[in-house]
Structure formats: structure tokens, C-alpha cells
Amino acid sequence: LLMTIAVIGAIGIGEWFEAATVSFLFAVSLALEAWSVGRARRAVEALLKLTPETVRLVGPQGYTEVPPSEVSVGDRFAVRPGERIPLDGRVIAGTSAVNQAPITGESVPVLKEPATDVFAGTINGDGALEIEATKVAGDTTLAHIIRLIESAQERRAPVEQWVDRFARVYTPAVFALAGLVAVVGP
């Protein structure tokens, strides 16, 4: 509101350069805000792509591919070399070095063998693993990270909250002062 009034006021008194400057600065601030929101949104989308679309369940008749949402705690699934691990779980059979960098940031793959835990979204190394699911798809460590990021995006930073409180007083005060100057004179 103040920006719009400033531009209209500057045009009204013939100060075209000031009106253009205010408009330019306002457009730059909006572009920066849109860029930062878009960057955060792309980061969440990249996290969502970390989990595979299917899980290879191990059953009596062999393997069955199902969406991660259909897997229950205690179900066993297989992960081939080079594949992403679809759910949090505990290794039942097999040994492999797992790249946990997408979740933990560790730069070196971690050896996983029976009785060790694995995270959804991590990358299996050169060994085949059979894993027992310890969490459902919506409760994995990766799902928690995504929820925390989305929650942080929805909340306002302390500085933004302070600016809002300041603007509640500042904006009416500026309008009152401008009205007083318009009626009484400078």
C-alpha cells in the first residue's frame, strides 16, 4: 500500500525518476522473494524424488512390486545393488556399503550387514540386501525431514513477525503524518 501511494504521489508531483526507482526496487524485492520460495520448493521436490516408486516385497511365491504406501511394518523387501532403499528398515540378509549422504550427509558409504538399520532414500552399494520394514512410508526419516521443511516454509521467520508488528504501527502513523502535512502544510 505504501509503495503504491509513493508511486502515485511521485507521479502526481512530477517526480518520474523517483516513481520509477520505487517501482524498480519493489519489483526486485518481489523477484527475490519468488526466487527464494521457488528454490525451497525445488529442494522439497528433490527430496520427494529420493524414494523409489515401488518396493520389491519378498514373499513365498517370489518378489512382488508394490507402492511403498502398501508396505506394513514387518514386511520384508529386497534391494538390488545400485538401487535406492524405499523404506526405513533393518537388514535381515546381505551385506553392502550404503551411501547415506542424501539423508545424513555422510561422505563415505556405511557398511550395512544383518541387524543394522537403513534409511529410505539412501543408495545401496554393490551388495543385495533383504530388509524388514520398521516404519510405514509416511513415517520414514525422509518423510519427517520433508514435513519439517514444509513446516518451516509455512512459518514466518522472527524478523518477518517483527516487521509485521512494526508495520501495524508504522503504516497508520505514516498515513496520519502525510494527512497532517497535506492539511496543515509542511
Side-chain angles (χ1 to χ4, degrees), residues 69-115:
S69 59
E70 293 182 14
V71 178
S72 303
V73 172
D75 287 350
R76 291 183 176 202
F77 58 94
V79 180
R80 293 181 183 149
E83 292 183 336
R84 288 196 182 271
I85 296 172
L87 298 164
D88 287 1
R90 181 163 289 118
V91 176
I92 301 301
T95 302
S96 182
V98 174
N99 179 354
Q100 297 185 148
I103 304 299
T104 65
E106 293 179 59
S107 60
V108 178
V110 178
L111 181 66
K112 298 296 181 175
E113 50 194 13

Side-chain angles (χ1 to χ4, degrees), residues 1 6 22-23 26 47 52 69 78 82 90 92 96 129 138 147 156 173 176:
L1 179 64
V22 168
S23 297
F26 188 62
L47 283 174
S69 59
R90 181 163 289 118
I92 301 301
S96 182
L129 296 174
R147 278 195 296 277
R156 298 176 66 89

Side-chain angles (χ1 to χ4, degrees), residues 83-160:
E83 292 183 336
R84 288 196 182 271
I85 296 172
L87 298 164
D88 287 1
R90 181 163 289 118
V91 176
I92 301 301
T95 302
S96 182
V98 174
N99 179 354
Q100 297 185 148
I103 304 299
T104 65
E106 293 179 59
S107 60
V108 178
V110 178
L111 181 66
K112 298 296 181 175
E113 50 194 13
T116 57
D117 293 332
V118 293
F119 303 112
T122 57
I123 305 163
N124 186 20
D126 56 1
L129 296 174
E130 186 173 320
I131 301 168
E132 180 180 6
T134 56
K135 295 180 181 174
V136 294
D139 197 31
T140 63
T141 303
L142 182 61
H144 284 291
I145 291 170
I146 292 169
R147 278 195 296 277
L148 286 172
I149 291 171
E150 289 171 343
S151 172
Q153 287 176 342
E154 291 172 3
R155 284 184 291 173
R156 298 176 66 89
V159 170
E160 290 177 299

